[in-house]
Amino acid sequence: MKSAIVATLFASAAAFAPSKTVPASTQLNAWITEQSVGVTPPAGFFDPLGLSKGKDDATMKYYREAELKHGRVAMAACLGWYLNAGGVHPAFNSALSNDPLKAMVELPAVGWVQFVLGCGAIEWLGQQIKERPGYEPGDLLGAAYWVDDSDEGWVDYQNKELNNGRLAMLAITGMIYQDVFTGNYGDMMYKQLVR
């Protein structure tokens, strides 16, 4: 009880202290605090090319939206790669090659039309959802209406999604590289390294 009284006295005395002149901050500072979504150890705020320097809040939200979208697509691509390499094809009676890059070439025109129309419909829907008030980058299902970034569990979930997306972007790039340059696409992609 005594410590609460002392703390209250110090807080009230601080109201009469002269204020310090704080240098003007940019909106970018809100994106690089350790409490921000996406700023995770060990890298912290990862921007080695300095693409975020001097950017306003709207541009940073656009970058976050792009990062989430690319991460989600890369996670789906990794899953699809391993399903395809394992012999599971969701269409065409599994008549396509097990090599995902060869299967992409073998895909009939009607498959490409379905793919492009499906992606286009998802993009159109995403653009419509962005128009609603209170939209947060990447929040296509409206979770920001029910929970905000003050909930530690929600922030943890968002960080996990961003980190998994970042890893998936690197992973699918590596898988495509291995398939193109070594011809290995399956479970033992790196078998020549362990001979």
Side-chain angles (χ1 to χ4, degrees):
M1 182 68 181
K2 289 180 184 178
S3 61
I5 293 171
V6 170
T8 305
L9 288 172
F10 279 111
S12 63
F16 298 102
S19 62
K20 292 182 180 179
T21 304
V22 180
S25 66
T26 64
Q27 291 179 346
L28 178 60
N29 289 341
W31 288 87
I32 60 176
T33 63
E34 292 189 15
Q35 292 81 23
S36 296
V37 174
V39 180
T40 57
F45 183 74
F46 186 72
D47 184 20
L49 299 177
L51 298 175
S52 63
K53 288 184 179 171
K55 301 297 189 271
D56 62 350
D57 201 39
T59 304
M60 292 301 293
K61 284 185 176 187
Y62 174 78
Y63 287 171
R64 176 55 47 90
E65 179 89 28
E67 180 182 23
L68 282 166
K69 186 183 293 185
H70 286 90
R72 289 169 181 165
V73 168
M75 287 187 275
C78 287
L79 177 63
W81 186 281
Y82 283 119
L83 288 176
N84 196 7
V88 177
H89 299 280
F92 305 106
N93 296 325
S94 296
L96 302 176
S97 171
N98 283 344
D99 182 342
L101 294 182
K102 288 180 183 170
M104 183 179 74
V105 173
E106 296 171 358
L107 187 65
V110 69
W112 280 107
V113 169
Q114 289 174 346
F115 177 75
V116 169
L117 288 177
C119 291
I122 292 170
E123 282 294 316
W124 178 84
L125 183 62
Q127 292 299 322
Q128 300 307 308
I129 291 172
K130 283 186 197 180
E131 301 299 322
R132 70 173 187 237
Y135 176 76
E136 291 293 321
D139 184 21
L140 298 177
L141 300 178
Y145 289 115
W146 300 302
V147 65
D148 61 3
D149 287 347
S150 64
D151 181 3
E152 196 172 308
W154 176 242
V155 171
D156 185 51
Y157 170 79
Q158 290 177 301
N159 283 331
K160 287 177 183 177
E161 181 184 19
L162 280 168
N163 286 334
N164 287 334
R166 291 167 180 167
L167 179 61
M169 287 185 271
L170 294 173
I172 194 66
T173 302
M175 287 186 262
I176 292 170
Y177 175 84
Q178 282 289 51
D179 192 359
V180 168
F181 291 104
T182 68
N184 294 321
Y185 59 87
D187 191 22
M188 290 295 291
M189 289 173 63
Y190 304 101
K191 62 185 170 191
Q192 67 235 16
L193 298 176
V194 292
R195 284 185 192 171

